[in-house]
Amino acid sequence: MSVTPLLSGAAKRGERILVIYTGGTLGMQAGAAGLEPGANFEARLQRALDTLSVPQQSALPPFEVMSFDTLIDSSAATPLTWQRIAAAIAKRFNDYRGFVVLHGTDTLSFSAASLAFQLQGLDRPVVLTGAMRPLEAEHSDALANVYGALRFAASDSLKEVAIYFAGKLLRGVRAVKCDSEAPDAFASPGYPLLGERVGEDFIEYPARGLAATHRGAPRFELASYAGLAQGEVVRLALWPGIAAWQLEALLGDDRVKGALLQLWGAGNLPDDPALLEVLARACGEGKLIAATSLCPRGGVHFATYAAGAGLEAAGVLAGADMTPEAALTKLVHLLAQPMTQEDRRRRFVTPLCGER
Ligand code: ASN
């Protein structure tokens, strides 16, 4: 991994932003089988930035670019990818005033959520962005997204993991991809915007930032995710007609250490005691099982309906209004930590970085 200074001028390292390029459509070029991550990214980015207006160029903070050795379509990301991005930031943390991570959009919200758990207590911005169209494509959103991400990454008041996309600054651990085609592809259904671009202004809403207790004093948790990258945490969304043997087939495997269930509405599942039995058995075996809602807004509250009342007794953890991304990456993160199962269960229901 090399770090190339761009627009560095006389700025000292601690005044610069580090841009970490991991792959994704933003930097893709046509290959034999379709779009694939392209090389020479630094030079291509510089060419694109040269097309910005003079006031925009002078508003850009100085930055350096670092490219991952293996550039991926983010559909190929695993928990190890999340670990590598966090490690790259942690290693250089004190050398830069902020970080921009360029990432494919398909799993960008998973990486953002995972970074929020690994890089707890941030005292500077970590902003992820990507694009729906490659940098050199017609009507590309790539340059505008990189420009906005750099502007917010230079903020003195943003102290958390955020996503900048299509003019919106979202809390990373609250974001979901909600469109597979339009440029405005991300939303945070359970939390308001942290900031936005209005014309040439980049506005922040600091009152919506993380509570002081959750930021300003870095306390990174960088455990190995290697085991978790082998499929130890699974995810299952209910469907009408789901049978207990199907749940058992997924949760009964010894290799499974944790699971995210996506339930109906406020936390309901079909009226079949055998389903609850499978869940109770898995929890009893020490598996970390959590539930969120299939609805993008609201959350799960097991006590609301009789249909959900058995879940708590079975040992299932309520994910409240967490996104599936946040709940799944939190399960991975907690299972990677050297702590007791009781501590994992307690921390799952405790807000760690604004995720619930
Ligand atoms: N498949 C791409 C990726 O996630 C999609 C994108 O970046 N727009 O890498």
Side-chain angles (χ1 to χ4, degrees):
M1 284 186 272
S2 59
V3 178
T4 314
L6 276 184
L7 295 172
S8 49
K12 292 200 217 74
R13 266 203 148 178
E15 292 164 6
R16 297 182 201 170
I17 311 291
L18 180 63
V19 176
I20 302 175
Y21 172 52
T22 69
T25 297
L26 187 141
M28 286 192 186
Q29 291 177 310
L35 286 176
E36 55 188 45
N40 292 328
F41 180 72
E42 295 89 336
R44 293 164 51 212
L45 178 63
Q46 185 60 70
R47 267 200 298 280
L49 290 168
D50 289 344
T51 67
L52 288 172
S53 70
V54 173
Q56 286 175 330
Q57 290 192 40
S58 43
L60 271 176
F63 65 92
E64 299 175 353
V65 176
M66 182 193 120
S67 288
F68 271 17
D69 290 336
T70 308
L71 301 168
I72 58 167
D73 184 304
S74 79
S75 51
T78 72
L80 279 180
T81 312
W82 311 336
Q83 188 189 328
R84 274 188 212 115
I85 301 171
I89 293 171
K91 188 170 164 199
R92 299 161 181 85
F93 191 69
N94 290 321
D95 293 338
Y96 297 92
R97 66 184 290 191
F99 296 83
V100 169
V101 179
L102 304 180
H103 195 290
T105 59
D106 285 336
T107 64
L108 188 144
S109 50
F110 285 87
S111 293
S114 178
L115 288 180
F117 294 116
Q118 294 181 83
L119 304 175
Q120 286 177 54
L122 281 176
D123 60 359
R124 60 199 75 186
V126 172
V127 184
L128 290 90
T129 195
M132 300 303 280
R133 291 170 147 264
L135 199 53
E136 288 94 355
E138 227 186 324
H139 308 300
S140 172
D141 51 339
L143 180 58
N145 284 348
V146 177
Y147 176 66
L150 279 165
R151 293 289 303 267
F152 277 120
S155 158
D156 289 326
S157 43
L158 184 66
K159 298 178 181 187
E160 59 182 288
V161 177
I163 293 176
Y164 178 78
F165 218 92
K168 296 192 273 191
L169 188 71
L170 310 162
R171 171 160 297 164
V173 76
R174 290 282 193 157
V176 292
K177 185 175 178 184
C178 58
D179 202 309
S180 66
E181 290 171 0
D184 189 8
F186 286 86
S188 59
Y191 201 77
L193 297 183
L194 298 180
E196 60 192 313
R197 176 178 185 168
V198 181
E200 277 311 312
D201 293 326
F202 288 81
I203 298 164
E204 246 181 86
Y205 306 116
R208 298 174 184 170
L210 276 182
T213 43
H214 285 168
R215 63 181 195 168
R219 43 182 187 283
F220 297 168
E221 295 181 353
L222 302 166
S224 168
Y225 281 0
L228 283 311
Q230 306 294 321
E232 290 177 357
V233 176
V234 297
R235 168 183 179 180
L236 179 117
L238 290 185
W239 67 93
I242 181 174
W245 66 266
Q246 291 166 318
L247 191 60
E248 172 68 31
L250 194 65
L251 300 187
D253 192 301
D254 285 346
R255 289 168 294 187
V256 170
K257 306 267 188 297
L260 171 65
L261 303 176
Q262 287 181 264
L263 306 176
W264 310 131
N268 300 320
L269 78 174
D271 182 20
D272 176 0
L275 287 172
L276 280 178
E277 273 169 38
V278 173
L279 290 171
R281 197 161 45 245
C283 294
E285 285 166 358
K287 298 181 179 184
L288 204 58
I289 316 260
T292 57
S293 177
L294 278 158
C295 301
R297 275 187 288 276
V300 296
H301 315 283
F302 293 159
T304 313
Y305 292 98
L311 286 163
E312 201 167 346
V316 177
L317 298 160
D321 59 348
M322 272 194 272
T323 61
E325 284 88 331
L328 188 119
T329 57
K330 191 171 185 178
L331 289 174
V332 168
H333 184 71
L334 294 177
L335 284 163
Q337 304 302 313
M339 58 175 62
T340 64
Q341 195 69 351
E342 234 5 85
D343 280 343
R344 291 194 183 107
R345 293 178 61 82
R346 189 177 44 75
R347 291 191 77 197
F348 187 85
V349 296
T350 307
L352 302 179
C353 50
E355 75 279 19
R356 59 186 289 160

